[in-house]
Amino acid sequence: MKQKYNEESPMHHLVSFNKLLGHYDEQLKSKDKHLAERAKYILDAQAPFPELRDGFTDLSLLDKHKDIISIILQDTFSSVLTQNEIKTATTPFENNIFNSSERFKKILKEAGKGFELEIRNLPMDVSYIMKCTVVLGFHYGYKMDFRRPLFYDIPDANGVMRHYRILYNADFMEIIPTEKAKDLTQEDVDELWANFDNLELWKDKIPPGSFISKGFVISNMFDVTAEHSISGIKSTLIGNNKRGNEDFMESFQDTFRSLFNLKHINVGFTGYDSKANRFLKIYGKGIESYILKGKDMESCDNLLCDHSKNTLIGKETGYYAISNVEKYYNLSEGGQPYKNLHEQGIKSAILAPIIDDGVLLGVLELVSNTVNELNSVNANKLEDVMPFIVSAVVRSIEEEENLVDAIIQHECTTVHSSVYWKFQEEAKRFMADELVGNQAVFKEIVFKDVYPLYGQVDIKESSKERNFSIQKDLMIQLSEINEVLEVAFKIHKLPIYEELMFRVNTYLEEVKEALYTHTEQAIFDFVKEEVNPVFKHLKDTDTDVAPYIQKYEDNIDEETESYYDHRRNYDQSVMEANMQLAALLDKKQVEAQEMFPHYFERYKTDGVEHNMYIGSSIANDRKFNELYLSNLRLWQLQVMCDMEDKYYALKPTLPVKLDVASLILVYSTSLAIRFRMDEKRFDVDGTYNARYEIIKKRIDKSYIKGTNERLTQKGKLAIVYSQRKDEKEYMRYIKFLKAKGYFTNNIEIVELEGLQGVTGLKAIRAEILYSGDKDKKSERTYTYEDLMEELKS
């Protein structure tokens, strides 16, 4: 780090006390007798050694004249302050210390033998350009602030690293120009400012040896260990991937040891789940939880006594200091949190709640193997660092939530909020396995003993309507093609055009009778491969036919490469209907979730279908009662009526006036559902439960027993069931909702023809009373409790 004086430099360096001695020259004239006498004493001591004024480069003279130099510096290094001030005198641009206060000497002595003093943040050499900036400031008057904070890092007698900020006093420095010095204009300085790295330019403007620097500098140092530790904690917490970094906790603990000036304290973290009122292990390399003592999670009631609980998570939030763990362990007869700490050999501890906006996020743990080393007094040192810890924990929670979301999205796609907690648990376990180096596998999610509900609002005869729209588009397209070919044949009389017209008419007759998939594809291929090339030729060569071809092409849809008029109307009608119905169902679902959390999914086909599953395994921390199932069934009935009502109010505005029919499947037996990782969706679990899925897929195509009449009919809500008790339950609901304006008196019970693998199904068909047929009913959704109240009255 030290620089030799003979290196190329804009300045020739001389160690000199001339400027300091100049102050004493002035004091000789002072009217203060004592001041003048002291100045004379110092000047007389220096007089035999003119080199101390003139300056020298031989650094051995510093040792040779150390006694005289000590006299010269007596006022600068006051004996009264020498035990307190941390001060040194050094050569300029170097770290050659030739005088220091007693406290500085003590600090170096306690650092131990072999310790080498080095300035942190100082380059290995003070460069030519840096010295030029000093010249610009001292001599030319152009201030360039390139300064950086400089520090000494020195261990104390206990081995704790202390940090000292260095402030330089250059009052006793002189910069003297030589004959090589140049006059610099503002343009010259502007050029230098714009070219900091151009060494040759700097040498040209401020040549080597163009100045002499005479003097010495004084370094004043201040112990900034606390501030440095706080900054270190902040920097450590800011970094990404903290928990996956093996050095994180080691570095973090070192900064806390410096802050508290205690070499052997350790730091731990414990997370807190406010919903479950439990402490959680924070997963990460080297992160310990001393109050959990190896457990992954534990109820707060089991880990804290009343006093510590009230301090950490109660109204009297603050630091909980245990200065003597063993004492309180005995007083509490082995109670917590003292038991876990005592069993780990911990003698004193501080537990600091990490709180953001009044919400406890976790606990910072400081522990020591020495009694009273951590206490309620030094706990106050945490005041300055807790805001950074809180910020870091908030950020860490956000990062974890994002990572959990990313894992769930990758492994499972989007999942419903009611079951999200289960996926979070599995994602956290997945992360924990990865952190400890295990093979991480996202296990399948299963919910047992849940009751299913299924409903659909289906577009009647959607396949027939879709085929009809395709049929009409194909007939129009073929007719338009014929018109063009007729014009071409009249003009050119070519048999090829007549032959093409014959084939077009053949396809036209075929489409008029019925539409088959192979016919549609055959026509598409015929137009693309045989008609389009002919039209291209005619368009390029015949100006009389070209306008007819252009008119035909203007009606061709670019994406489908065919006529897309009636099909567009059909698709838009279905899309608009689905969008409106799905939006209504989603809106109503918000209030249903408030009754009792349950899984919900809906998907759009030719209509809108939905699945719901309700049970205690899904609700996590809530106890399930079949009352909630009854509530959800009653809610579903009302919402299905609302969706029908919504559709028939929308129908007049649609391009294609389609009809819909609605159906509900009642299934009284609880079952299990499993999230299929390969399909990214929930499905019933087990062979026995598969019967439910079979019924779901087939009932909308079922017939009334002994007839050719389909179960689902326009204007009627079909409720399919197999149990007598379900019939009684739903008849009660329908009677209640009829009184509220949802149904007419037209209600019937029918038996269904047996489906493949399923027999014994019955259905209630209730005619829906639409808002156009009555006064608008209340927007209120009635509950099972409302039903019970009405039955009592």
Side-chain angles (χ1 to χ4, degrees):
M1 185 184 70
K2 294 182 181 180
Q3 185 182 10
K4 304 300 180 184
Y5 274 179
N6 60 2
E7 287 184 356
E8 189 173 52
S9 169
M11 292 181 281
H12 180 58
H13 302 292
L14 298 174
V15 181
S16 168
F17 301 92
N18 180 59
K19 201 166 182 182
L20 175 58
L21 291 168
H23 287 285
Y24 291 115
D25 290 335
E26 291 297 318
Q27 288 179 14
L28 277 175
K29 306 169 189 175
S30 174
K31 294 179 180 179
D32 185 328
K33 177 182 176 184
H34 297 291
L35 200 61
E37 286 179 354
R38 174 143 186 86
K40 184 176 185 304
Y41 167 72
I42 292 171
L43 292 170
D44 286 346
Q46 177 273 321
F49 310 102
E51 62 268 29
L52 294 179
R53 270 191 187 267
D54 299 337
F56 53 88
T57 58
D58 183 0
L59 298 184
S60 65
L61 293 179
L62 288 169
D63 186 59
K64 179 181 177 181
H65 297 308
K66 65 180 180 179
D67 294 335
I68 305 301
I69 292 172
S70 179
I71 293 172
I72 295 171
L73 296 176
Q74 273 182 354
D75 291 337
T76 311
F77 287 77
S78 170
S79 59
V80 177
L81 301 175
T82 191
Q83 299 298 332
N84 188 282
E85 284 187 333
I86 311 171
K87 182 185 286 189
T88 64
T90 67
T91 54
F93 307 108
E94 289 191 332
N95 195 31
N96 290 314
I97 297 171
F98 57 83
N99 200 73
S100 60
S101 65
E102 290 301 317
R103 185 177 175 192
F104 183 78
K105 292 175 183 176
K106 183 183 177 184
I107 289 170
L108 283 186
K109 183 179 179 182
E110 289 180 350
K113 292 182 178 179
F115 175 76
E116 291 188 11
L117 191 65
E118 279 192 18
I119 298 176
R120 177 159 42 96
N121 289 358
L122 187 70
M124 290 303 289
D125 67 303
V126 181
S127 71
Y128 190 101
I129 294 175
M130 286 297 185
K131 292 172 187 174
C132 286
T133 60
V134 174
V135 170
L136 283 173
F138 268 84
H139 179 71
Y140 292 103
Y142 295 101
K143 299 295 183 183
M144 283 187 166
D145 190 359
F146 63 90
R147 293 171 296 178
R148 297 172 61 197
L150 301 176
F151 299 91
Y152 283 132
D153 299 324
I154 308 172
D156 65 12
N158 296 319
V160 176
M161 188 63 72
R162 312 295 296 175
H163 307 281
Y164 301 90
R165 172 79 182 270
I166 307 166
L167 294 179
Y168 285 110
N169 182 338
D171 286 349
F172 307 115
M173 286 293 301
E174 300 174 82
I175 303 294
I176 304 165
T178 69
E179 68 280 359
K180 296 181 181 179
K182 294 182 177 182
D183 293 330
L184 297 184
T185 65
Q186 182 64 55
E187 288 183 5
D188 293 326
V189 177
D190 289 345
E191 190 177 359
L192 291 173
W193 279 348
N195 294 278
F196 182 79
D197 295 327
N198 190 338
L199 179 60
E200 294 306 315
L201 177 65
W202 285 84
K203 285 183 177 181
D204 177 61
K205 303 296 183 185
I206 306 175
S210 54
F211 288 88
I212 295 172
S213 71
K214 286 179 64 175
F216 68 99
V217 292
I218 292 176
S219 304
N220 291 284
M221 282 156 276
F222 303 91
D223 190 335
V224 292
T225 303
E227 293 84 349
H228 188 276
S229 299
I230 292 168
S231 178
I233 289 169
K234 184 179 178 181
S235 299
T236 305
L237 291 171
I238 286 173
N240 287 321
N241 193 27
K242 298 180 287 290
R243 292 184 297 173
N245 188 337
E246 292 182 2
D247 297 329
F248 166 66
M249 279 308 294
E250 185 177 344
S251 172
F252 198 59
Q253 293 190 130
D254 283 344
T255 53
F256 267 98
R257 288 164 184 164
S258 291
L259 177 65
F260 279 80
N261 197 23
L262 298 171
K263 186 178 182 181
H264 298 293
I265 62 172
N266 290 313
V267 182
F269 284 102
T270 303
Y272 176 69
D273 180 353
S274 59
K275 292 180 182 177
N277 188 34
R278 63 188 178 187
F279 287 126
L280 309 168
K281 177 178 173 59
I282 302 296
Y283 293 102
K285 294 180 180 177
I287 300 178
E288 297 290 341
S289 170
Y290 297 99
I291 58 175
L292 278 172
K293 197 191 138 197
K295 288 189 176 181
D296 286 343
M297 63 183 68
E298 185 67 71
S299 166
C300 293
D301 296 334
N302 296 338
L303 278 184
L304 301 175
C305 62
D306 290 341
H307 182 41
S308 58
K309 189 191 305 180
N310 196 42
T311 303
L312 293 175
I313 61 178
K315 294 180 180 179
E316 299 178 11
T317 305
Y319 304 131
Y320 189 67
I322 312 168
S323 55
N324 190 328
V325 171
E326 187 172 4
K327 174 185 173 182
Y328 289 98
Y329 170 75
N330 293 328
L331 287 173
S332 66
E333 297 180 349
Q336 296 285 23
Y338 319 109
K339 181 176 182 291
N340 280 359
L341 297 174
H342 182 265
E343 289 176 356
Q344 295 171 84
I346 295 166
K347 303 296 184 184
S348 60
I350 297 171
L351 305 179
I354 303 169
I355 298 172
D356 179 53
D357 198 20
V359 178
L360 181 69
L361 306 177
V363 176
L364 170 70
E365 309 165 349
L366 301 180
V367 298
S368 167
N369 294 330
T370 303
V371 175
N372 292 325
E373 194 166 60
L374 294 169
N375 51 69
S376 62
V377 177
N378 60 13
N380 289 284
K381 286 178 174 281
L382 292 172
E383 287 290 338
D384 294 321
V385 300
M386 289 309 292
F388 304 126
I389 291 173
V390 170
S391 297
V393 170
V394 169
R395 180 182 167 201
S396 181
I397 288 171
E398 291 172 352
E399 288 174 352
E400 179 170 298
E401 286 175 350
N402 290 338
L403 185 55
V404 167
D405 285 344
I407 292 172
I408 293 173
Q409 291 285 345
H410 181 266
E411 297 289 338
C412 318
T413 70
T414 304
V415 295
H416 191 252
S417 58
S418 61
V419 294
Y420 193 71
W421 64 271
K422 187 72 173 177
F423 288 84
Q424 284 182 309
E425 282 189 355
E426 184 56 27
K428 288 178 179 178
R429 187 202 57 76
F430 183 97
M431 289 161 56
D433 281 350
E434 277 195 330
L435 281 168
V436 297
N438 294 338
Q439 180 66 40
V441 178
F442 201 96
K443 295 178 182 176
E444 288 186 323
I445 305 293
V446 178
F447 293 102
K448 296 182 179 179
D449 296 322
V450 296
Y451 291 90
L453 296 92
Y454 171 76
Q456 68 172 42
V457 179
D458 192 41
I459 293 173
K460 291 286 291 176
E461 298 181 333
S462 57
S463 297
K464 179 181 175 182
E465 289 290 346
R466 182 184 290 106
N467 285 344
F468 185 52
S469 66
I470 296 171
Q471 214 172 351
K472 286 191 283 188
D473 278 340
L474 288 176
M475 288 169 64
I476 292 171
Q477 183 174 2
L478 290 170
S479 298
E480 291 286 338
I481 290 171
N482 244 349
E483 285 185 22
V484 175
L485 291 173
E486 283 176 2
V487 172
F489 182 69
K490 283 179 182 178
I491 294 172
H492 300 286
K493 304 296 183 184
L494 293 177
I496 186 64
Y497 299 140
E498 191 174 19
E499 191 270 341
L500 279 174
M501 286 184 344
F502 171 76
R503 292 168 68 188
V504 168
N505 285 322
T506 302
Y507 279 124
L508 198 53
E509 291 300 319
E510 198 174 322
V511 171
K512 281 179 184 177
E513 286 190 24
L515 179 68
Y516 300 101
T517 303
H518 72 271
T519 306
E520 182 184 354
Q521 185 62 47
I523 292 171
F524 182 82
D525 293 340
F526 166 67
V527 172
K528 188 174 183 179
E529 295 169 10
E530 300 190 48
V531 174
N532 287 349
V534 171
F535 279 14
K536 186 178 186 307
H537 167 73
L538 286 168
K539 193 175 180 182
D540 293 339
T541 59
D542 194 321
T543 55
D544 293 327
V545 181
Y548 294 93
I549 296 173
Q550 187 61 51
K551 179 188 172 186
Y552 162 78
E553 290 178 345
D554 288 343
N555 291 318
I556 297 295
D557 180 71
E558 290 184 5
E559 289 187 14
T560 61
E561 298 181 24
S562 60
Y563 263 52
Y564 185 62
D565 186 20
H566 291 85
R567 273 177 289 177
R568 180 184 292 108
N569 289 338
Y570 172 83
D571 289 344
Q572 285 180 348
S573 298
V574 172
M575 184 178 69
E576 181 65 21
N578 282 349
M579 185 178 70
Q580 296 275 9
L581 294 178
L584 175 63
L585 183 57
D586 290 345
K587 180 182 177 183
K588 295 284 187 180
Q589 246 294 300
V590 176
E591 64 187 44
Q593 288 294 337
E594 292 176 359
M595 299 177 189
F596 192 85
H598 57 277
Y599 178 76
F600 169 79
E601 66 176 357
R602 62 122 178 95
Y603 38 96
K604 301 172 186 174
T605 52
D606 283 346
V608 176
E609 299 178 48
H610 67 269
N611 288 311
M612 295 185 290
Y613 300 97
I614 187 169
S616 58
S617 61
I618 288 175
N620 190 11
D621 56 348
R622 287 187 61 176
K623 188 175 181 180
F624 175 73
N625 186 292
E626 288 199 19
L627 170 70
Y628 297 116
L629 174 61
S630 300
N631 248 322
L632 196 58
R633 284 175 167 177
L634 181 57
W635 172 88
Q636 185 186 36
L637 264 179
Q638 296 172 80
V639 171
M640 294 293 284
C641 292
D642 289 338
M643 290 171 72
E644 281 253 4
D645 203 33
K646 178 80 172 179
Y647 176 75
Y648 281 104
L650 175 69
K651 180 180 173 180
T653 67
L654 299 177
V656 181
K657 309 300 186 281
L658 303 165
D659 287 318
V660 298
S662 299
L663 176 148
I664 286 174
L665 173 60
V666 182
Y667 201 79
S668 294
T669 308
S670 65
L671 42 75
I673 56 173
R674 179 184 296 270
F675 189 84
R676 306 292 179 186
M677 301 300 294
D678 52 346
E679 299 176 15
K680 310 295 186 191
R681 62 182 293 272
F682 275 104
D683 200 356
V684 295
D685 189 38
T687 307
Y688 175 76
N689 295 326
R691 182 172 183 269
Y692 172 71
E693 287 294 332
I694 293 170
I695 297 172
K696 248 172 52 176
K697 287 180 171 66
R698 296 175 181 169
I699 49 172
D700 66 327
K701 302 293 191 296
S702 60
Y703 290 87
I704 305 300
K705 194 170 186 177
T707 72
N708 291 323
E709 183 184 344
R710 289 279 290 270
L711 166 64
T712 53
Q713 295 290 325
K714 171 193 173 185
K716 293 183 178 182
L717 175 58
I719 304 162
V720 180
Y721 59 93
S722 61
Q723 304 285 329
R724 173 67 179 160
K725 66 184 181 73
D726 295 331
E727 179 184 300
K728 291 173 66 177
E729 180 181 351
Y730 273 85
M731 285 300 290
R732 195 165 74 246
Y733 296 158
I734 290 169
K735 182 180 178 182
F736 171 65
L737 292 177
K738 184 177 72 173
K740 301 300 179 184
Y742 283 85
F743 296 108
T744 72
N745 290 322
N746 186 5
I747 299 165
E748 59 182 332
I749 296 174
V750 297
E751 288 188 47
L752 304 185
E753 286 285 0
L755 302 172
Q756 185 179 351
V758 182
T759 57
L761 293 178
K762 297 177 74 176
I764 301 169
R765 289 203 302 194
E767 186 176 55
I768 299 166
L769 187 60
Y770 298 110
S771 58
D773 304 324
K774 64 185 187 308
D775 293 333
K776 185 172 177 64
K777 63 174 178 285
S778 169
E779 290 292 329
R780 179 185 171 193
T781 302
Y782 297 96
T783 66
Y784 189 77
E785 287 79 2
D786 296 324
L787 170 62
M788 291 296 101
E789 285 297 318
E790 186 141 323
L791 290 176
K792 289 177 186 176
S793 61

